[in-house]
Amino acid sequence: MEKIYQFYWEDIFDAALKKTGDEALAQDITQEIFISLWENHKAINLSGSLGAYLHGAVKYKVINYFRSGSIKEQHQAALTALMDEQHIAAADDKLILKELYQEVDAAIALLPEKMQLVFSMSRKQEKSIKEIAAELEISVQTVKNQISAAIKLLKKSLSYILLIAVLIGLT
């Protein structure tokens, strides 16, 4: 029996490793096959070669392993952990975005009142320059100047937010 083990062990292990991709599992399957061969050597009736029998045993052991609940449980646990990790990351990103929006709103609140109104109408209410000019009864050029000045001031006061966004991967 020891000669059979020494002769076939490496070949059977390689076959199990190719089918499973897991060295520890391939070793377990190989050992189980040789233990089963030892325990049942009197009951086994070989009609072909011992090598073919052992390779067939690898095939069935691998199939049974993947059918078993243990591999399903491992995959389910890995999937659950991955989903939890993604959920936590998404929640963190939402919190960071909320804080960034609050920073932007605070910076807008520091703009002069008229500039704040024009900028808000342009960006938050998505009104055109002509609509803003008509509604506030000011010239189109004044609206353009107010928006341009607001953007310059916001860029200056919020430049660090772009750095944060880049660092956390929001851009």
Side-chain angles (χ1 to χ4, degrees):
M1 189 63 174
E2 188 174 327
K3 287 182 181 180
I4 292 172
Y5 178 81
Q6 289 175 352
F7 186 78
Y8 286 104
W9 182 88
E10 188 174 351
D11 188 37
I12 298 306
F13 171 77
D14 288 343
L17 183 60
K18 284 179 187 174
K19 292 182 186 309
T20 63
D22 182 342
E23 193 171 323
L25 177 59
Q27 286 178 348
D28 289 346
I29 288 173
T30 303
Q31 286 179 334
E32 287 176 17
I33 289 170
F34 283 104
I35 289 170
S36 176
L37 181 65
W38 173 254
E39 290 175 345
N40 301 311
H41 72 279
K42 291 181 181 176
I44 296 173
N45 185 11
L46 289 177
S47 58
S49 74
L50 180 59
Y53 172 82
L54 293 173
H55 279 277
V58 168
K59 176 182 171 182
Y60 290 110
K61 286 281 186 187
V62 169
I63 289 171
N64 287 336
Y65 173 76
F66 284 114
R67 281 186 184 160
S68 75
S70 66
I71 191 70
K72 289 178 186 175
E73 289 172 8
Q74 288 174 357
H75 287 293
Q76 185 64 35
L79 179 62
T80 301
L82 180 62
M83 290 174 63
D84 288 346
E85 185 177 298
Q86 288 176 342
H87 180 71
I88 289 169
D92 287 347
D93 288 347
K94 285 180 183 178
L95 182 62
I96 290 169
L97 275 174
K98 182 181 176 185
E99 290 174 359
L100 290 175
Y101 283 128
Q102 288 173 345
E103 291 284 332
V104 170
D105 287 342
I108 291 171
L110 295 175
L111 295 174
E113 189 176 325
K114 191 80 162 180
M115 189 181 292
Q116 189 181 131
L117 177 62
V118 170
F119 185 80
S120 178
M121 291 173 80
S122 169
R123 298 302 190 258
K124 290 186 178 182
Q125 297 173 17
E126 298 180 2
K127 292 186 178 186
S128 70
I129 292 174
K130 287 182 182 179
E131 290 173 326
I132 297 168
E135 193 173 319
L136 298 178
E137 298 177 355
I138 56 177
S139 72
V140 169
Q141 189 59 46
T142 301
V143 173
K144 288 180 183 178
N145 291 345
Q146 290 288 321
I147 292 171
S148 179
I151 290 173
K152 282 182 184 178
L153 290 171
L154 291 173
K155 278 184 181 178
K156 190 183 287 185
S157 66
L158 296 173
S159 61
Y160 68 92
I161 287 183
L162 182 59
L163 176 63
I164 292 170
V166 168
L167 290 176
I168 63 170
L170 294 176
T171 59

